[in-house]
Amino acid sequence: MTKKIAILGSTGSIGRNALKVIDALNNQFEIIALSAHNNIEMLAEQVKKYKPRFAVVTNSEKLDSFKKLLGKTGTEILCPVQGLSAASVDSSVDIVIAAVVGAA
């Protein structure tokens, strides 16, 4: 059975390593949500690769730039921090990896 996962802070070291592990486990996980604060370039790459249902940009100043980088996809873009909550409590999510800065 495929587990559905949300990775909050997917562009940081913990998030990137979690994605490497998921890649190595060959289809045991489906990415439902990814998030970033500032590294919108990497988040756009991740969204294009994993095609999650949600992408969360917690820095609202970067939201428009992220939308331009991402282009047209089926991914719903959420912002700001409330998007983290929405993505992590979605009924389809089985596992949440909270790899954001502790203060967040």
Side-chain angles (χ1 to χ4, degrees), residues 58-84:
T58 58
N59 183 345
S60 56
E61 294 176 6
K62 303 239 178 183
L63 184 60
D64 288 336
S65 297
F66 177 70
K67 288 178 180 178
K68 288 177 187 173
L69 280 171
L70 191 57
K72 301 252 183 214
T73 69
T75 298
E76 182 179 348
I77 300 170
L78 304 174
C79 183
V81 178
Q82 291 83 1
L84 292 177

Side-chain angles (χ1 to χ4, degrees), residues 20-96:
K20 286 179 186 177
V21 170
I22 288 167
D23 287 342
L25 293 173
N26 295 327
N27 301 319
Q28 292 184 34
F29 294 93
E30 177 185 349
I31 305 297
I32 299 297
L34 297 170
S35 80
H37 186 69
N38 284 318
N39 196 345
I40 59 170
E41 294 83 6
M42 183 179 291
L43 181 61
E45 290 173 18
Q46 291 173 343
V47 169
K48 289 173 184 175
K49 178 177 180 179
Y50 295 101
K51 298 172 179 48
R53 182 181 306 168
F54 304 108
V56 183
V57 177
T58 58
N59 183 345
S60 56
E61 294 176 6
K62 303 239 178 183
L63 184 60
D64 288 336
S65 297
F66 177 70
K67 288 178 180 178
K68 288 177 187 173
L69 280 171
L70 191 57
K72 301 252 183 214
T73 69
T75 298
E76 182 179 348
I77 300 170
L78 304 174
C79 183
V81 178
Q82 291 83 1
L84 292 177
S85 297
S88 61
V89 300
D90 185 79
S91 62
S92 65
V93 174
D94 296 313
I95 300 168
V96 177

